[in-house]
Amino acid sequence: MNGKTRSNVMEDFHDWFFDELEEFLHASEDNSDYEHRSLLLRSIERDRFEAMRFLFEHQLLPSKLEVNTINDQGRHCLLMLAHKNGPIQSIEYLLHHQHACLDTNKLDLNQFSALHHTCR
């Protein structure tokens, strides 16, 4: 497991999971709409790109198609990352590992694609 024991990976996961849970509870107190967003979308919205990567690497999404779930601006995870000028490693990871499921031509509510946001 790349130098980490299964026990260490699970410990890392539990630390991450409880951090996410705490973050979720605080956010849902501030915004009742927030609780209905997927963990993947919340991770990207809050610039928690390591959490997004963890979800993918450990296959913790309920469905591979969750990469196309959109937020209130009509953006799925690739569009959100491009719009936020997210880390290029995260965008590359999505394109290389999730490409089969990812709608790369998706337009947001402003009719911009991920390519439009990236060029911006």
Side-chain angles (χ1 to χ4, degrees), residues 11-112:
E11 186 176 316
D12 289 347
F13 169 74
H14 288 125
D15 290 344
W16 169 82
F17 179 77
F18 289 120
D19 286 346
E20 287 298 310
L21 187 57
E22 182 178 6
E23 181 80 16
F24 168 74
L25 290 172
H26 290 297
S28 65
E29 290 171 2
D30 299 335
N31 179 356
S32 62
D33 293 333
Y34 190 76
E35 64 187 277
H36 301 292
R37 297 200 180 131
S38 75
L39 191 55
L40 177 62
L41 289 180
R42 287 195 311 264
S43 298
I44 297 170
E45 287 174 341
R46 303 287 245 172
D47 298 329
R48 297 184 64 136
F49 304 114
E50 70 287 344
M52 178 203 79
R53 184 96 179 234
F54 196 91
L55 287 168
F56 285 124
E57 287 177 353
H58 296 278
Q59 300 174 357
L60 298 174
L61 299 177
S63 163
K64 289 186 178 209
L65 296 176
E66 191 171 335
V67 297
N68 292 314
T69 301
I70 60 171
N71 68 1
D72 54 347
Q73 284 103 24
R75 297 183 184 125
H76 61 30
C77 57
L78 179 62
L79 276 163
M80 289 172 57
L81 285 169
H83 175 76
K84 292 170 122 335
N85 295 329
I88 191 69
Q89 300 86 352
S90 296
I91 294 171
E92 287 175 341
Y93 184 87
L94 276 176
L95 291 173
H96 291 301
H97 298 286
Q98 302 296 322
H99 190 269
C101 303
L102 191 60
D103 181 1
T104 54
N105 296 316
K106 172 84 174 134
L107 300 177
D108 65 14
L109 296 180
N110 296 317
Q111 301 303 306
F112 290 118

